[in-house]
Amino acid sequence: MATFGKIETHVDPSEAGKDFPVKTHVMFTIRGQSQTGIIAKQLKNAAVIEIDEKQDNEDLINHSNGVVVINYKQMRKI
């Protein structure tokens, strides 16, 4: 039988992910442009990031609903 609704599962991040806990402000590159954002959720090898809204990234915000998944190796703390 299927389960509907929010299911909370604990995900242990990789060694690279241990440096990027939730609510960490990070910088990353997407579509050739540097962006910043805050980690909303950790995954095994990547994180869900809420993108900081700026004037020059309105298209990215609209296309991605304001969030992206980025590998830990492609981000750095700011």
Side-chain angles (χ1 to χ4, degrees):
M1 183 170 264
T3 303
F4 296 98
K6 190 172 184 179
I7 298 173
E8 288 293 325
T9 57
H10 178 70
V11 176
D12 286 326
S14 64
E15 283 300 313
K18 293 186 189 299
D19 293 334
F20 298 99
V22 173
K23 296 186 180 177
T24 301
H25 204 215
V26 294
M27 179 179 280
F28 56 95
T29 302
I30 189 165
R31 296 182 183 174
Q33 294 184 332
S34 284
Q35 300 291 334
T36 59
I38 296 176
I39 295 178
K41 181 176 182 176
Q42 287 186 304
L43 305 173
K44 179 73 176 168
N45 295 310
V48 177
I49 301 175
E50 294 177 358
I51 304 167
D52 292 337
E53 205 166 333
K54 298 182 270 185
Q55 285 183 320
D56 63 344
N57 69 356
E58 290 176 16
D59 283 343
L60 177 62
I61 296 288
N62 288 334
H63 285 112
S64 67
N65 290 328
V67 295
V68 291
V69 177
I70 301 290
N71 188 296
Y72 294 120
K73 294 177 182 178
Q74 297 174 330
M75 64 177 87
R76 66 176 202 257
K77 290 182 185 179
I78 53 173

